[in-house]
Amino acid sequence: MKKTVSRQENNRKPFSSAIEAGGFIYVSGQGGIDPNTGQIVSSDLRGQINQTLHNIQSILHEARATLDDVVKVNVYLKERAHYEEFNEIYGSFFSYPFPARTTIYCDLNFDILVEIDVIALAPTASDRVLDGAGAHADSE
């Protein structure tokens, strides 16, 4: 069974921001776009990477997961020259053991410089407890 991971955005595209299925959370490609405005946050790589990874964190949070749960990352960079700077910023978001990763250089939509999609482990029922409102909350 699969379920959509809800996201507070106006997504009129024929895909979900994320789907939880088979014990994993599959997050669609995210870029340096502010989900509230739909605008690219910055013309520089650092700003776009930060926004992209914050977007992913937000989606994972809705599924009760974190970047520590990510097992696979696909990175799409517009320029090969961005690889070293990307690694520096990326390394500040992830910790050991790092997820498996593929990096591809390609043309990207909307003039973004980076796009990232991830696969994360979904929390199991034993990882969650019900809060007072009956919704799932992280256990301590």
Side-chain angles (χ1 to χ4, degrees), residues 64 123-130 136-140:
R64 304 288 191 251
T124 63
S126 63
D127 294 335
R128 303 179 191 178
V129 296
L130 289 177
H136 287 285
D138 295 332
S139 60
E140 294 280 316

Side-chain angles (χ1 to χ4, degrees), residues 98-116:
F98 297 105
R101 188 179 96 187
T102 300
T103 304
I104 298 168
Y105 307 102
C106 61
D107 194 25
L108 296 168
N109 291 326
F110 315 113
D111 293 323
I112 58 174
L113 302 174
V114 62
E115 183 172 338
I116 301 172

Side-chain angles (χ1 to χ4, degrees), residues 55-133:
N55 290 348
I56 291 169
Q57 284 177 312
S58 176
I59 293 168
L60 290 173
H61 178 76
E62 290 190 43
R64 304 288 191 251
T66 70
L67 289 177
D68 289 338
D69 298 308
V70 172
V71 294
K72 176 69 168 102
V73 178
N74 291 316
V75 177
Y76 306 90
L77 290 174
K78 190 167 186 171
E79 302 288 335
R80 184 179 300 267
H82 293 158
Y83 185 75
E84 293 302 323
E85 183 178 1
F86 174 82
N87 273 336
E88 174 190 325
I89 300 162
Y90 174 90
S92 70
F93 281 85
F94 290 94
S95 58
Y96 185 84
F98 297 105
R101 188 179 96 187
T102 300
T103 304
I104 298 168
Y105 307 102
C106 61
D107 194 25
L108 296 168
N109 291 326
F110 315 113
D111 293 323
I112 58 174
L113 302 174
V114 62
E115 183 172 338
I116 301 172
D117 65 77
V118 303
I119 301 171
L121 295 171
T124 63
S126 63
D127 294 335
R128 303 179 191 178
V129 296
L130 289 177
D131 68 16

